[in-house]
Amino acid sequence: MTLLAFSPLVLSLVTMTLEEITTGKNVGEHNSVWGVLPWFSISTMVIFLPPALILLKITVLGILHDVIVLIKRFKADGVDEADGVDGEMFG
């Protein structure tokens, strides 16, 4: 979704770079259609960034929850960090 939000900007940067390479001229808003395309990012960011941020928050909360659960299980099982196996030494 983040890529979709910034797609006009990314597309314009790529095409303006290609146009500069092929023509040898400096390209911007004043002399290229591609220079105006980043302005469309304003509308795509309004549409795609809020859901992307919500999904990011849900993902981070899910990962934190999993980490906390794994840490609690690790401590509850009594696994010794040095051995890696319930206090038994295989050495």
Side-chain angles (χ1 to χ4, degrees):
M1 284 194 180
T2 306
L3 183 60
L4 286 173
F6 293 103
S7 61
L9 177 65
V10 173
L11 179 65
S12 68
L13 289 176
V14 169
T15 53
M16 284 193 316
T17 303
L18 290 174
E19 189 175 347
E20 284 182 357
I21 291 171
T22 56
T23 62
K25 295 180 181 179
N26 193 9
V27 179
E29 287 181 5
H30 62 284
N31 63 354
S32 175
V33 172
W34 302 113
V36 181
L37 194 58
W39 286 100
F40 292 117
S41 294
I42 295 170
S43 61
T44 57
M45 284 191 283
V46 168
I47 295 169
F48 292 110
L49 276 185
L53 291 175
I54 291 170
L55 286 175
L56 177 66
K57 288 180 184 180
I58 291 171
T59 303
V60 168
L61 287 174
I63 291 172
L64 287 175
H65 177 266
D66 289 347
V67 167
I68 291 169
V69 167
L70 287 174
I71 289 172
K72 285 183 178 181
R73 283 187 188 167
F74 183 75
K75 288 183 179 181
D77 289 341
V79 176
D80 190 9
E81 293 175 6
D83 303 336
V85 180
D86 297 327
E88 300 174 10
M89 293 284 289
F90 295 105

